[in-house]
Amino acid sequence: MKNIRPLTGNADSKKVYIETYGCQMNVNDSEVILSILQDDGYVLTDNMGEADLILANTCSIRDNAEQRVWGRIEQFRLQKNRRPGVLVGIVGCMAERLKDGLLDSGAVDIVAGPDSYRSLPELLAAVTPDSPQMNVTLSHEETYGDITPVRMDRNGVSAYISIMRGCNNVCSYCIVPYTRGVERSRDPQTILREAEELFANGYREVSLLGQNVDSYLWKGPEGQTDFATLLAMVAQVSPELRVRFSTSHPKDISDEVIYTMAGYDNICRHIHLPVQSGSNAMLEKMRRKYTREWYLERVEKIRSVMPDCALTTDIIAGFCGETRQDHLDTLSLMEEVRFDYAFMFQYSERPGTLAARKYPDDVPPEVKTARLNEIIALQNRHSLESNEKDVGKTFRVLVEGVSKRNPGELYGRTSGNKVCVFPAQGHKAGDFVEVKVLSCTSATLISECVSGQKIVDLWQQEQ
Ligand code: 5AD
Ligand code: SF4
């Protein structure tokens, strides 16, 4: 395991085990949590059975995400029964949403929301079997900007950098504004420093994360920094550092961001642009603040500037009042855009959201499932077609590691975020390699390396 900062533990250190659910943002938050706990004398363990502290960093976006964690809490309870003294903490979005509802389970000692991670050492110092501890205060300022996350990734090649927290959009279906609070941007200098440090430590790709990166805005004494400016600043760290970002909002993605991407080869040609629905009636009810026509215009703009830019999306099937015609509008939008990849979900009502308060969740579950299946089938066809178009082409791929299926093969990603596998030829994680695509599945480009064996390796073989 590669860490930017060395693990500081010794034989007496307390051990923390962390499970992460939900989005990339949560993966990065777990790295911030580990940094805070490391300073408090903890070391990370992969083995729940030897942990003094078990943490689950949770997600509330759909009911099934929460159900999974409730199942895990029962496993954690078994650990507590077997090994008295073990502490269990539930942190993140579910902690923020359910608050003391989690303590009622009797298996949870600590509850901490997304803005309370700095208080974890205090909560841990105060906790006793009879007095569980909770901090779910949301903040208008917290960005953890000064904390260097302890990387938990296994490849040491690509890392997440959180550039903002919270969300000011009120999409009617979404719990995030309630669990993560108001939007705030992080000081660009701390972002830049983190990117430079990662590059110096061998990382070759950073993903800038925010719920809505297009509304990133930092106001400092030296003036304002918007997302396009930040993107250019990070791209200038090194031409050998790839830059990705997520998530873009169709109502906010600006021409400046599109032109900035086009201006730098190392900003990856990929935009994740969640559409949610192809029906104007649904978009209005979802409070997305754009129309189908606006969305299609943004796609056209992106493709006119960067014809090779990959586009991915999120789609919700069966939102409140969705008719067969609304659903067909989603399918026809998918046909028009032909996304390279999509994350597809059934609508799941979240208590307290605008939709839960205002609109009945009236699409029957079997209809939701049938519509989702149609959406998935269409997307699978489009993903396969998109990959088939790449057969015969060459791509610059950043090697991430050895393929899980075949130890003789490496895998990496193209600028458009497609996974390539190819026979290893002396390359290693962190190398950039030219590959030619020989064939594909809907998920993978099967390739060969055309940049040749690394000269140093040929030389070593000859010795
Ligand atoms: N039900 C189903 N999917 C949802 N998403 C957000 N809220 C819900 C919900 N209540 C999806 C959206 C979002 C992605 C992260 O999760 O598509 O873009
Ligand atoms: Fe991430 Fe949203 Fe899940 Fe929170 S609710 S972990 S912000 S996906």
Side-chain angles (χ1 to χ4, degrees):
M1 184 173 306
K2 181 146 183 165
N3 284 292
I4 285 280
R5 295 182 335 177
L7 291 175
T8 48
N10 55 45
D12 308 323
S13 297
K14 294 164 285 179
K15 295 193 176 70
V16 58
Y17 168 82
I18 307 179
E19 286 185 3
T20 306
Y21 298 86
C23 58
Q24 298 170 333
M25 200 83 103
N26 253 20
V27 174
N28 190 235
D29 279 5
S30 289
E31 297 175 334
V32 167
I33 291 169
L34 181 57
S35 179
I36 292 166
L37 290 179
Q38 216 173 263
D39 287 348
D40 196 38
Y42 280 86
V43 291
L44 184 69
T45 174
D46 279 349
N47 178 358
M48 179 165 75
E50 64 167 24
D52 302 287
L53 171 63
I54 297 172
L55 287 184
N57 189 6
T58 58
C59 173
S60 289
I61 198 111
R62 284 168 290 276
D63 184 55
N64 57 11
E66 290 197 352
Q67 291 312 322
R68 222 175 324 145
V69 172
W70 281 115
R72 288 304 287 163
I73 289 175
E74 288 317 306
Q75 298 298 310
F76 302 159
R77 191 196 299 277
L78 295 180
Q79 288 289 324
K80 285 175 78 74
N81 292 345
R82 231 175 273 151
R83 298 185 296 125
V86 170
L87 294 172
V88 170
I90 302 297
V91 304
C93 289
M94 204 170 151
E96 194 63 51
R97 195 179 86 74
L98 296 174
K99 302 183 171 62
D100 31 12
L102 284 160
L103 297 178
D104 296 343
S105 69
V108 175
D109 304 285
I110 287 180
V111 174
D115 287 344
S116 311
Y117 299 147
R118 279 183 210 267
S119 72
L120 279 171
E122 281 161 49
L123 300 176
L124 285 162
V127 73
T128 67
D130 303 322
S131 117
Q133 298 291 310
M134 177 167 79
N135 185 351
V136 286
T137 312
L138 285 174
S139 155
H140 284 235
E141 286 92 32
E142 181 63 271
T143 62
Y144 302 112
D146 56 319
I147 294 180
T148 304
V150 177
R151 302 295 165 184
M152 283 193 255
D153 60 274
R154 308 266 155 177
N155 65 17
V157 173
S158 59
Y160 296 131
I161 301 182
S162 169
I163 64 164
M164 59 206 294
R165 297 182 72 82
C167 185
N168 281 357
N169 297 320
V170 264
C171 301
S172 60
Y173 50 80
C174 189
I175 195 74
V176 174
Y178 305 90
T179 59
R180 286 191 171 256
V182 296
E183 185 181 285
R184 63 228 101 118
S185 296
R186 178 177 168 191
D187 181 340
Q189 292 309 322
T190 68
I191 297 170
L192 201 57
R193 217 174 304 135
E194 200 171 317
E196 285 166 351
E197 243 175 80
L198 285 162
F199 184 71
N201 280 281
Y203 283 77
R204 291 294 172 263
E205 186 176 273
V206 292
S207 298
L208 308 180
L209 300 182
Q211 294 296 341
N212 179 2
V213 292
D214 306 288
S215 59
Y216 174 88
L217 191 65
W218 174 262
K219 292 180 191 153
E222 65 294 342
Q224 292 196 353
T225 308
D226 63 8
F227 182 58
T229 312
L230 178 74
L231 200 52
M233 282 164 63
V234 178
Q236 284 165 28
V237 166
S238 166
E240 293 298 292
L241 181 69
R242 273 185 170 181
V243 185
R244 297 187 182 279
F245 58 88
S246 184
T247 299
S248 303
H249 196 302
K251 79 175 163 65
D252 293 322
I253 187 167
S254 66
D255 289 354
E256 287 73 36
V257 167
I258 298 170
Y259 288 124
T260 304
M261 286 179 78
Y264 291 89
D265 282 346
N266 58 327
I267 302 181
C268 288
R269 297 290 185 263
H270 170 214
I271 299 178
H272 184 61
L273 200 63
V275 67
Q276 314 298 2
S277 171
S279 149
N280 278 336
M282 288 297 103
L283 289 172
E284 164 113 42
K285 245 179 163 176
M286 289 173 167
R287 302 228 169 174
R288 291 290 286 172
K289 302 200 177 101
Y290 56 84
T291 59
R292 173 191 177 99
E293 293 72 27
W294 172 276
Y295 186 90
L296 291 172
E297 186 281 327
R298 291 286 78 194
V299 168
E300 216 177 283
K301 179 73 192 180
I302 293 163
R303 289 188 169 154
S304 70
V305 178
M306 295 175 291
D308 59 340
C309 186
L311 275 175
T312 58
T313 201
D314 293 345
I315 296 174
I316 298 176
F319 185 58
C320 310
E322 188 188 71
T323 63
R324 175 88 194 142
Q325 186 53 50
D326 293 320
H327 169 61
L328 292 177
D329 288 349
T330 296
L331 296 178
S332 79
L333 180 129
M334 291 171 72
E335 286 285 9
E336 269 192 62
V337 178
R338 292 184 173 257
F339 295 105
D340 296 280
Y341 187 79
F343 297 94
M344 300 156 282
F345 314 102
Q346 288 186 37
Y347 172 59
S348 162
E349 186 177 82
R350 308 312 292 128
T353 56
L354 196 74
R357 282 180 276 137
K358 236 179 129 183
Y359 309 121
D361 179 12
D362 53 2
V363 178
E366 62 280 7
V367 176
K368 279 186 189 171
T369 308
R371 288 181 186 170
L372 178 64
N373 286 341
E374 281 184 55
I375 289 170
I376 292 172
L378 182 60
Q379 184 54 47
N380 284 346
R381 226 176 64 214
H382 290 165
S383 298
L384 181 62
E385 282 168 15
S386 159
N387 283 355
E388 278 168 352
K389 276 198 210 142
D390 290 339
V391 173
K393 291 188 190 159
T394 56
F395 292 97
R396 190 164 192 249
V397 164
L398 174 60
V399 181
E400 288 180 27
V402 176
S403 155
K404 280 189 195 96
R405 289 219 186 127
N406 181 348
E409 293 201 322
L410 297 174
Y411 76 95
R413 275 164 212 273
T414 66
S415 173
N417 211 29
K418 288 184 179 176
V419 174
C420 284
V421 292
F422 50 92
Q425 287 193 23
H427 297 101
K428 59 177 192 327
D431 288 343
F432 285 100
V433 181
E434 294 284 323
V435 304
K436 183 172 179 185
V437 181
L438 303 173
S439 63
C440 68
T441 66
S442 64
T444 313
L445 301 178
I446 296 141
S447 324
E448 67 179 359
C449 181
V450 290
S451 52
Q453 213 161 341
K454 286 182 86 184
I455 292 165
V456 59
D457 299 316
L458 285 172
W459 179 81
Q460 276 166 352
Q461 278 170 21
E462 279 166 19
Q463 299 307 299

